[in-house]
Amino acid sequence: MSRDIIREEARLIMLRELHAQTNYSLNDALLQATLESFGIAKPREWVREEIGYLETLGAVTKTSAGSVVVARLAPKGVEHVERRLVIEGVKRPSPAEA
């Protein structure tokens, strides 16, 4: 499988997981565990790189809190997860089931 496909899938998984949180925030360790549950086992540094990439796209904001990076879903990321906007480099969400 292409690295780009894995990255695009991982970015969508991270955005969806952030969207599922009441405060739209999670740290890099929790996002890493989420990705692992979807079969994407990558080191924390890789997860941090993806958070940084999502930040450059305007989908998330990030802050450092001690030894972790906290990602927070930005309005553009919400729009992507809710299928009202397409962010290049992030897999498109599937339509909601009826």
Side-chain angles (χ1 to χ4, degrees):
M1 185 176 279
S2 165
R3 286 184 181 195
D4 287 342
I5 292 171
I6 293 170
R7 286 183 183 276
E8 289 177 6
E9 179 78 25
R11 293 170 190 152
L12 175 60
I13 291 166
M14 289 191 288
L15 293 181
R16 280 186 163 167
E17 190 62 25
L18 290 168
H19 190 264
Q21 306 306 308
T22 56
N23 65 354
Y24 285 174
S25 298
L26 281 174
N27 69 44
D28 55 352
L30 293 173
L31 287 169
Q32 180 185 25
T34 299
L35 290 172
E36 286 178 2
S37 73
F38 282 90
I40 302 174
K42 298 290 185 182
R44 186 185 272 183
E45 188 55 40
W46 188 89
V47 175
R48 288 179 177 182
E49 289 172 11
E50 294 307 310
I51 292 169
Y53 185 78
L54 288 168
E55 184 179 44
T56 65
L57 296 175
V60 302
T61 58
K62 70 176 183 176
T63 55
S64 294
S67 64
V68 299
V69 172
V70 177
R72 181 175 178 84
L73 195 61
K76 188 174 180 181
V78 173
E79 295 287 310
H80 182 83
V81 171
E82 294 178 354
R83 295 184 51 85
R84 293 193 298 261
L85 175 77
V86 174
I87 300 174
E88 289 299 319
V90 181
K91 183 177 176 182
R92 287 199 71 198
S94 301
E97 304 250 336

